[in-house]
Amino acid sequence: MTFTTLEDAGKFYRNYAKAASFSTRVRCTNRKGNEIKNQLITCSREGKWKSKISPTEKTNPTAGLNCPARIYIHTLKDVGAWIISKVVLDHSHPCCPSKAEMLKQHRELSMSIRRTIENNEEAGIRPSKTYQSFVAAAGGHRELNFIEKDVRNYITREVRNVSEQEDAKEFGKYLLRMKEKNQNFFFELQLEEDQSIKLAFWADARSRAAFEYFGDVISFDTTYNTNRYNLVCGSFVGVNHHGQSTLLGCSLMKNEEIESFKWLFQCWLRCMGGNAPKGFLTDQCASMKRALEACMPTTVHRWCIWHIMKKIPSKLNGYKRHADIEQEMRQVVWNSHSKDSFDRNWNDFLLNFGLADNKWLSGMRSTQRSESMHSFFNKYITRNSSLIQFVKQYDNCLGSREQAERESDAADFHTVIPCATKSSIEAQFQDAYTHAKFREVQAQFRGKTNCITRLKNSALGYSVYEVGEQVSSSIFNKFVVTYDSVAAEVKCQCLLFESRGILCRHALSVLSFEQVSQLSPRYILERWSKKVKRRHTHIKSSHDEPLMEPRSKRFDQLVFRSQNICEFASESKELTAILHRAYDNVMAEMEALKAKRKGTSSLSHEDANLESVNELQSPPRIRTRGRPKNRLGSKLEKQIANATKKKKTKVLSEVKVMFFKFVAIEFIFLVNRLANV
């Protein structure tokens, strides 16, 4: 057989191999100068590979069986064609047509599949979910000419293939591109002597504008490890008018020393115009505490109760009555209605269970509540993310938070939640508050039905009430509520309004008892209002445009336009037939043009053309053994763990028998746990 080009001959043999159920490889190519003279293509099972590792230590599958099947192609000088001059059809192994599709050579990812994989990876969709979507669209696994491993390999090889040398440069180019798109984008870097990144902080224009409205209380968290260099992610999180978490800046830190936190907090304050928040919630970290005292002396610092309560099982499992301890601790934390009652109940709790010497518990004081972003970050960011992947996925986090706020704003504008009662005060909240906050107010109005109000004393318009709230069939909690009719001021002992900005059911009961029809504006906070025009809502969150090859751009443009054509044509059989004929004609015309221009096409990559970050270096990659941990312990936790470890070492000789019993029990527990898994 003869062929016009060597590529045509190779393609023919590959198609034959697929039909005959084997795969091929180019065994050798002979050249004269730059011109190919001949080529040998064999069955991929030709030859035999011998491992250097002894089979007794490790055995790997091998395909080599000295298969003789092959073709030999050489050029015909006179006619400028290629001829197959030698053919061996016999194989040294069986061939099964039903298994041919599983051979690597015959598996292929089309342009459409590759673009879908890239878009899904950008959106944070896991490879397994991406593959399952292809299976569902095709109608089953057998209808696809690739497997899940091909999807994963493409992501690793093409999408995530950022070298450690280029990673930091791409990160720097990203920051500069965002700054060029919007001059209010803020970033600062602190570098080591070798130009590797030590500290990084950035915040987009929308986050900076949102701080004006939602920067009163900030939650800051550095207990999440999210990249291949072991840099710690620190996120500044506020709460918007719907009660949703909103991101107000992000940082990457090489260490958690006092000076690092000082640099970060000063940088964040500069970003936010030098305005410190009223409250700051953090994990239990001494370095962070000292840095905050130095940078924000007027800000009230509290430990985040979410972190504290999450640690209860790991901190108390060593006690015999750990279940009772945990239950009682939760009772004290959630059912103490004032600072004094909390401190009193907490001291009683420590004494009753003999926990006064526990280092972790002895440091507790009354705290405020904060929502963690960990579960949210888990949707987008993995432990092995590169720097450029991290910032892109952080952009996705920003976009998701922006969209959630936009949807809630639209719902507030277009719909109304009916009042649950006939109260004119409830109608005031209905008119002013966002849906999410009005629902919280309604919960207090419903809870008012369980309250019994009793006047204790009154003088000159100042009244003191005792409100009994029935929490069970036989238990009443009592709260002192004061009402000043002259100043139109109501105050409850539970301090719900002071802590969450929502008027409590006890205060509402007193207002109802006093027959107040119009609530003072001081209790309808602008913070939760749906009527305020907020500047940040007109600013888009930062999003980097992907740097694609021209072919990928052209493909996306064609797909976008063809969708409208296909939607129109699918309305009837006649329109569909017209489109099919048009496709056939266009395909024939394009194939003819491609044949004429064969060998002249090329691909080029559009460079960002940003030279100011070319000296930037990535931090050294941290390689860990075993499954990496996303959660990092605070310094306080580590100190406690070290102290416990020293104590155990000191008394090991005295409790050796108990220790081995403990190990045996732990081993049995682990076996049972693995069996359940």
Side-chain angles (χ1 to χ4, degrees):
M1 298 181 67
T2 59
F3 299 89
T4 306
T5 65
L6 179 61
E7 289 78 14
D8 290 341
K11 184 178 180 181
F12 171 81
Y13 193 49
R14 285 194 300 273
N15 290 338
Y16 165 76
K18 186 174 183 180
S21 186
F22 71 97
S23 59
T24 66
R25 67 178 177 180
V26 177
R27 185 67 176 82
C28 65
T29 302
N30 293 324
R31 301 172 183 269
K32 188 175 182 180
N34 293 328
E35 293 184 4
I36 297 176
K37 293 299 180 182
N38 54 65
Q39 192 172 80
L40 174 63
I41 306 177
T42 68
C43 172
S44 60
R45 303 192 74 173
E46 181 266 346
K48 199 160 187 178
W49 177 78
K50 186 176 181 180
S51 174
K52 295 180 181 179
I53 303 174
S54 171
T56 58
E57 296 179 16
K58 186 178 181 181
T59 56
N60 290 326
T62 177
L65 286 175
N66 290 324
C67 182
R70 64 192 59 204
I71 64 170
Y72 182 76
I73 314 166
H74 72 267
T75 183
L76 294 173
K77 294 181 181 179
D78 299 335
V79 295
W82 294 81
I83 186 170
I84 298 179
S85 59
K86 183 179 179 181
V87 179
V88 178
L89 298 178
D90 296 330
H91 294 267
S92 64
H93 54 88
C95 296
C96 178
S98 64
K99 293 183 174 60
E101 61 188 22
M102 292 297 177
L103 294 171
K104 185 177 181 180
Q105 186 182 58
H106 305 314
R107 305 197 306 263
E108 182 183 13
L109 299 177
S110 67
M111 187 73 179
S112 175
I113 295 295
R114 294 198 302 272
R115 290 297 297 133
T116 302
I117 293 171
E118 291 165 8
N119 290 333
N120 286 4
E121 176 68 9
E122 184 82 14
I125 298 173
R126 299 183 186 278
S128 59
K129 298 295 184 183
T130 296
Y131 178 71
Q132 287 302 320
S133 70
F134 292 140
V135 172
H141 291 268
R142 289 178 177 269
E143 307 305 318
L144 294 176
N145 58 348
F146 58 91
I147 59 177
E148 184 175 343
K149 185 178 180 181
D150 298 322
V151 175
R152 294 182 179 276
N153 286 345
Y154 182 75
I155 291 172
T156 303
R157 186 179 65 252
E158 302 293 338
V159 182
R160 297 179 182 171
N161 188 23
V162 180
S163 68
E164 293 172 20
Q165 291 76 20
E166 295 298 318
D167 195 12
K169 294 181 178 64
E170 291 299 321
F171 175 60
K173 289 176 182 178
Y174 159 85
L175 296 175
L176 290 176
R177 284 196 300 272
M178 294 299 99
K179 184 71 173 178
E180 285 182 359
K181 290 177 71 173
N182 191 320
Q183 287 301 307
N184 285 327
F185 184 92
F186 182 98
F187 74 91
E188 284 191 20
L189 301 176
Q190 187 179 94
L191 307 180
E192 299 280 18
E193 291 183 0
D194 61 356
Q195 297 299 299
S196 65
I197 296 172
K198 180 181 180 181
L199 298 165
F201 170 79
W202 68 98
D204 71 335
R206 181 183 172 88
S207 297
R208 297 182 73 184
F211 176 81
E212 178 183 346
Y213 308 98
F214 312 131
D216 46 0
V217 178
I218 299 297
S219 172
F220 180 71
D221 188 6
T222 58
T223 56
Y224 198 67
N225 200 341
T226 52
N227 54 78
R228 63 177 66 162
Y229 309 107
N230 216 28
L231 296 175
V232 179
C233 168
S235 57
F236 294 85
V237 182
V239 177
N240 68 10
H241 50 305
H242 302 288
Q244 301 164 341
S245 295
T246 184
L247 294 164
L248 300 175
C250 186
S251 65
L252 292 172
M253 306 174 66
K254 198 171 183 179
N255 59 59
E256 295 181 87
E257 297 174 356
I258 297 174
E259 292 305 314
S260 296
F261 283 121
K262 281 184 178 180
W263 179 91
L264 177 59
F265 293 150
Q266 289 167 355
C267 184
W268 184 73
L269 285 173
R270 285 195 299 275
C271 173
M272 301 305 173
N275 300 313
K278 296 177 182 177
F280 211 89
L281 298 161
T282 70
D283 190 20
Q284 297 161 283
C285 176
S287 298
M288 204 182 301
K289 183 176 183 294
R290 292 179 184 177
L292 273 172
E293 289 171 351
C295 299
M296 307 179 205
T298 61
T299 298
V300 177
H301 176 215
R302 292 288 183 267
W303 288 341
C304 174
I305 202 168
W306 184 89
H307 288 124
I308 294 172
M309 302 307 289
K310 189 175 176 65
K311 295 172 189 172
I312 292 176
S314 62
K315 299 297 182 184
L316 302 180
N317 273 351
Y319 292 90
K320 290 182 180 179
R321 299 173 60 194
H322 67 87
D324 295 336
I325 293 173
E326 182 174 345
Q327 182 178 355
E328 184 63 24
M329 181 177 174
R330 293 185 184 278
Q331 178 74 14
V332 172
V333 169
W334 298 118
N335 292 324
S336 296
H337 301 291
S338 68
K339 184 182 184 302
D340 292 338
S341 65
F342 173 84
D343 290 336
R344 184 173 58 254
N345 295 338
W346 185 258
N347 291 331
D348 292 343
F349 161 71
L350 294 178
L351 291 173
N352 291 341
F353 289 96
L355 299 171
D357 295 330
N358 186 291
K359 290 186 178 181
W360 182 64
L361 292 174
S362 62
M364 297 292 179
R365 293 293 182 270
S366 52
T367 63
Q368 297 182 23
R369 183 175 180 272
S370 175
E371 179 185 359
S372 173
M373 289 294 291
H374 287 185
S375 59
F376 186 75
F377 276 129
N378 272 329
K379 298 177 185 176
Y380 297 97
I381 298 166
T382 67
R383 174 60 179 79
N384 292 315
S385 296
S386 64
L387 292 176
I388 192 63
Q389 279 180 282
F390 178 85
V391 292
K392 286 182 177 179
Q393 298 302 349
Y394 182 77
D395 279 354
N396 287 340
C397 293
L398 288 173
S400 178
R401 295 291 84 197
E402 177 189 0
Q403 182 62 17
E405 185 175 319
R406 289 178 67 243
E407 290 175 5
S408 297
D409 284 342
D412 291 341
F413 184 81
H414 293 292
T415 61
V416 175
I417 296 178
C419 288
T421 68
K422 301 296 183 181
S423 169
S424 58
I425 294 178
E426 185 185 2
Q428 280 183 269
F429 285 112
Q430 179 198 45
D431 180 63
Y433 276 14
T434 63
H435 285 3
K437 286 300 165 181
F438 180 55
R439 286 192 179 96
E440 292 185 33
V441 172
Q442 282 193 323
Q444 298 303 316
F445 272 95
R446 292 188 181 98
K448 191 178 71 168
T449 59
N450 297 321
C451 297
I452 299 174
T453 305
R454 184 169 66 89
L455 179 63
K456 294 185 71 176
N457 58 71
S458 178
L460 302 175
Y462 186 85
S463 305
V464 178
Y465 289 88
E466 183 181 81
V467 178
E469 181 185 3
Q470 187 172 9
V471 294
S472 69
S473 58
S474 58
I475 299 176
F476 282 81
N477 288 334
K478 295 181 179 180
F479 300 89
V480 175
V481 181
T482 60
Y483 178 68
D484 186 339
S485 59
V486 178
E489 182 179 10
V490 63
K491 190 169 184 178
C492 179
Q493 179 188 6
C494 76
L495 300 177
L496 183 70
F497 180 76
E498 287 77 4
S499 62
R500 287 175 52 193
I502 298 294
L503 209 56
C504 68
R505 49 195 173 275
H506 320 115
L508 291 173
S509 295
V510 169
L511 292 174
S512 179
F513 190 89
E514 290 277 351
Q515 297 183 350
V516 176
S517 59
Q518 282 294 110
L519 191 64
S520 171
R522 78 179 71 179
Y523 299 109
I524 302 177
L525 302 183
E526 190 178 85
R527 183 68 168 75
W528 311 126
S529 175
K530 61 184 177 183
K531 295 183 176 182
V532 175
K533 304 297 181 184
R534 296 176 173 88
R535 185 167 58 90
H536 76 281
T537 58
H538 303 289
I539 305 173
K540 288 184 178 180
S541 60
S542 65
H543 186 76
D544 193 19
E545 296 296 328
L547 296 174
M548 296 188 299
E549 290 183 342
R551 185 183 179 186
S552 297
K553 288 185 177 180
R554 292 193 295 267
F555 178 83
D556 287 354
Q557 291 167 357
L558 290 169
V559 169
F560 182 77
R561 292 198 66 184
S562 64
Q563 286 175 348
N564 294 331
I565 299 172
C566 293
E567 184 176 351
F568 183 77
S570 64
E571 292 179 1
S572 69
K573 291 182 179 180
E574 292 78 12
L575 292 174
T576 302
I578 292 173
L579 184 57
H580 278 306
R581 288 196 298 271
Y583 274 147
D584 293 339
N585 294 334
V586 171
M587 194 68 184
E589 184 180 347
M590 289 191 300
E591 286 177 346
L593 179 62
K594 187 177 180 180
K596 289 180 182 179
R597 300 177 58 184
K598 203 162 192 179
T600 62
S601 62
S602 63
L603 287 176
S604 64
H605 187 77
E606 295 179 5
D607 189 71
N609 198 26
L610 297 170
E611 300 177 358
S612 57
V613 292
N614 284 340
E615 298 300 319
L616 208 56
Q617 299 294 320
S618 302
R621 180 164 185 173
I622 305 299
R623 302 187 184 277
T624 58
R625 297 179 64 185
R627 182 181 181 276
K629 295 180 179 179
N630 280 353
R631 279 279 304 173
L632 300 177
S634 66
K635 286 191 176 180
L636 178 61
E637 290 181 75
K638 293 171 185 175
Q639 290 169 0
I640 294 169
N642 290 335
T644 307
K645 187 176 180 181
K646 290 177 183 177
K647 186 177 179 181
K648 286 183 178 178
T649 303
K650 187 176 179 181
V651 300
L652 181 62
S653 58
E654 301 175 10
V655 293
K656 188 176 288 185
V657 176
M658 290 182 64
F659 174 78
F660 285 112
K661 285 183 179 180
F662 173 75
V663 171
I665 293 169
E666 285 291 303
F667 178 76
I668 294 169
F669 172 76
L670 180 60
V671 170
N672 291 335
R673 187 176 180 184
L674 290 173
N676 292 332
V677 172

